Amino acid sequence: MSIPVVTVGESASECVTGLEQLRGPVTVVRRCEEFTEMIAACQTGIARAAIIAFDAGELTASLLDRLRAADVAVVALADDNDAQERLRALNIRQAGTNVEPAVLAEQVSLAVADLELHRDTGSSSSFAETADSLVPRTPAPAADPESDGDGRVIAIWGPTGAPGRTTLAVNLAAELTATGSRVLLIDADTYGASVAAALGLLDESAAVAQACRFADQGSLDSAMLMRVCSEVLIEGNALNVLTGITRPDRWAEVRPSALSRIIAVARSSADAVVVDCGFGLEADEELSFDTLAPRRNGATLRCLELADEVYAVGAADSIGVPRLVRGLNELAEAVPTAVPRVIFNKVRAASVGRSPERQLREAWERFGPASAISAFLPADFDAADAALLAGSTLCEAAPASPLRQSIASLVDAPVEQRRRGSTGAPNNEMKFSGNGVRLSQ
Ligand SMILES: Nc1ncnc2c1ncn2[C@@H]1O[C@H](COP(=O)(O)OP(=O)(O)OP(=O)(O)O)[C@@H](O)[C@H]1O
Ligand SMILES: [Mg+2]
């Protein structure tokens, strides 16, 4: 079957006669003058592919997402090196403007095949994928060497209610940095970004939004990513920080497709990439009529999908625990590939009752989801406050504190092993109240 194609831009339009003379593989259904006209045509469903002259308008990752969401594959025509470089970074199939019609038709059918392959292998249950960001996670045609990094991505997530996601993200990143690893900390929270404040960075630049813009334009590479990062010294080692949005209403700037690219580049620039995620997982914006509207939770969902490890943090009290139970169920539905490490934070007898860890374990075994509890982090208000006050990490502001030590031991030792051998366990001296934790809702 002939592939219906739209074109935009002069050099694309000049290819039309040659393509029509082939009488077969592709049929040009519309020649568009402008990008907006081309997008509108694609959204009506008349085309399966678009041939775009590179200089016809601004080709960005978000635009590609919109076309992919409309099930339209893209081939771009470009001659100069810079343009070709950008197209490679955006993973777009390309050809020169003087390309033979048969070769161009072949590129079009390969681009359509790429898109179908992506649709078949992509996670259809992924809420992040639903509309604004169908980014290839299968190797794209012109694979970018920077996507091949093997840095591990650790997403820190937890339900609403400030369970301690940022505290864990910042301090886990700091502990990894202190061990000599190259670490990049990304604030991807689209509701309440606070990594910059936690680290005392006077950052007004919303580095994550800047990086997203570069990623969108196909110009983000390792050097560029490092340039927009702030550097924080942890025991003499540099922790690179991609600060978050400065106001919650800027959430739409943290686009999932751009985040995919940032994470790919980050993997090749760092040994560990720690991401502070937002809490929301629900995709009820899907009820919106505008299926191409950006989705606020898309950034969190995308990070969770791409992460090698997911830490799910919950507050250890009678509000936090049921929220974590519900949140983990939502997580299993939204990102079935995620295998979370469950972390209880702010563990204290005053909010749970006698022997808080034992009570939490017992309650979890009876009512909790399948994932076992991986670790308990003590309520340690002195240390947490000292770090916030100093705009610093626990390893700098409260190195001997129980909270710091618990987070440090998450980094390299399996939690169960570490707990048995640990000294000075923070909860030993808790006074028990006798009230059991309630998991039922
Ligand atoms: N183990 C702890 N003991 C005492 N206080 C803690 C502990 N963990 C976090 N906190 C404090 O709880 C508050 C919320 O922590 P944090 O900002 O890390 O939560 P969050 O989940 O990132 O919240 P948000 O929804 O705002 O992103 C902060 O004041 C922090 O210092
Ligand atoms: Mg936070």
Side-chain angles (χ1 to χ4, degrees):
M1 202 189 88
S2 186
I3 300 170
V5 170
V6 291
T7 65
V8 62
E10 212 178 300
S11 51
S13 178
E14 281 163 8
C15 296
V16 171
T17 316
L19 287 172
E20 279 170 349
Q21 280 166 359
L22 293 176
R23 299 191 187 285
V26 300
T27 307
V28 179
V29 291
R30 187 169 304 173
R31 298 181 202 203
C32 304
E33 302 269 318
E34 291 176 354
F35 256 53
T36 42
E37 183 191 348
M38 185 264 300
I39 294 168
C42 289
Q43 287 178 353
T44 62
I46 61 165
R48 290 284 287 119
I51 300 174
I52 299 177
F54 180 79
D55 49 12
E58 188 69 352
L59 245 182
T60 61
S62 339
L63 178 83
L64 288 170
D65 289 342
R66 298 188 70 180
L67 294 176
R68 288 184 183 122
D71 225 7
V72 174
V74 171
V75 173
L77 303 180
D79 292 326
D80 76 273
N81 286 344
D82 286 353
Q84 288 168 352
E85 189 65 31
R86 256 192 72 192
L87 292 171
R88 259 193 296 281
L90 290 167
N91 284 333
I92 302 175
R93 284 192 179 273
Q94 55 177 290
T97 52
N98 290 326
V99 62
E100 289 295 318
V103 176
L104 182 55
E106 173 71 5
Q107 287 295 324
V108 168
S109 42
L110 288 171
V112 170
D114 291 340
L115 192 62
E116 279 164 7
L117 182 68
H118 167 251
R119 204 183 36 234
D120 295 344
T121 55
S123 151
S124 54
S125 60
S126 156
F127 294 148
E129 293 283 6
T130 46
D132 84 319
S133 52
L134 292 169
V135 161
R137 277 179 284 149
T138 48
D144 175 357
E146 290 215 352
S147 306
D148 296 340
D150 54 7
R152 82 189 149 123
V153 177
I154 306 169
I156 313 291
W157 169 84
T160 186
R165 291 183 302 273
T166 303
T167 305
L168 182 58
V170 163
N171 289 291
L172 201 63
E175 296 302 336
L176 287 164
T177 307
T179 64
S181 296
R182 292 174 308 150
V183 183
L184 180 61
L185 171 61
I186 301 177
D187 191 340
D189 189 337
T190 49
Y191 289 87
S194 62
V195 166
L199 287 170
L201 296 169
L202 297 172
D203 187 79
E204 292 299 321
S205 60
V208 74
Q210 282 184 46
C212 280
R213 271 196 297 282
F214 289 126
D216 218 11
Q217 291 158 5
S219 57
L220 187 79
D221 57 14
S222 234
M224 184 69 84
L225 181 59
M226 289 306 148
R227 207 170 310 146
V228 293
C229 280
S230 304
E231 200 178 274
V232 174
L233 282 182
I234 310 284
E235 297 182 355
N237 298 316
L239 164 63
N240 286 296
V241 183
L242 199 62
T243 55
I245 46 175
T246 45
R247 296 188 319 264
D249 62 2
R250 294 183 65 179
W251 64 265
E253 293 176 51
V254 191
R255 284 180 290 279
S257 53
L259 265 181
S260 297
R261 171 75 189 151
I262 292 174
I263 288 177
V265 174
R267 273 188 201 278
S268 66
S269 323
D271 303 314
V273 183
V274 179
V275 190
D276 184 5
C277 298
F279 57 84
L281 299 177
E282 70 280 0
D284 51 5
E285 303 106 309
E286 276 189 279
L287 299 176
S288 148
F289 288 108
D290 182 359
T291 53
L292 294 174
R295 292 166 180 346
R296 189 165 190 171
N297 297 336
T300 295
L301 291 163
R302 177 54 53 89
C303 293
L304 291 167
E305 285 165 8
L306 294 175
D308 302 300
E309 291 169 45
V310 172
Y311 284 72
V313 193
D317 57 44
S318 56
I319 293 175
V321 178
R323 274 185 183 162
L324 184 60
V325 173
R326 279 196 295 273
L328 285 168
N329 289 334
E330 283 169 29
L331 178 65
E333 205 178 308
V335 190
T337 48
V339 181
R341 292 184 78 180
V342 175
I343 311 284
F344 274 113
N345 188 26
K346 309 189 198 183
V347 175
R348 59 203 186 279
S351 67
V352 176
R354 283 172 186 273
S355 309
E357 293 189 10
R358 183 172 54 75
Q359 292 228 43
L360 286 163
R361 268 195 205 287
E362 284 174 6
W364 198 254
E365 272 159 28
R366 288 174 59 200
F367 302 108
S371 345
I373 301 174
S374 278
F376 297 94
L377 304 178
D380 186 349
F381 296 101
D382 290 346
D385 288 344
L388 276 188
L389 192 63
S392 184
T393 57
L394 290 164
C395 65
E396 304 271 324
S401 64
L403 181 55
R404 188 266 161 127
Q405 285 176 9
S406 298
I407 294 177
S409 54
L410 289 177
V411 166
D412 50 13
V415 175
E416 288 302 326
Q417 241 177 10
R418 172 186 58 78
R419 294 193 64 75
R420 254 179 265 129
S422 69
T423 53
N427 292 331
N428 289 351
E429 293 167 15
M430 278 184 170
K431 300 284 175 284
F432 301 139
S433 73
N435 298 321
V437 67
R438 295 186 303 279
L439 269 176
S440 52
Q441 288 147 46

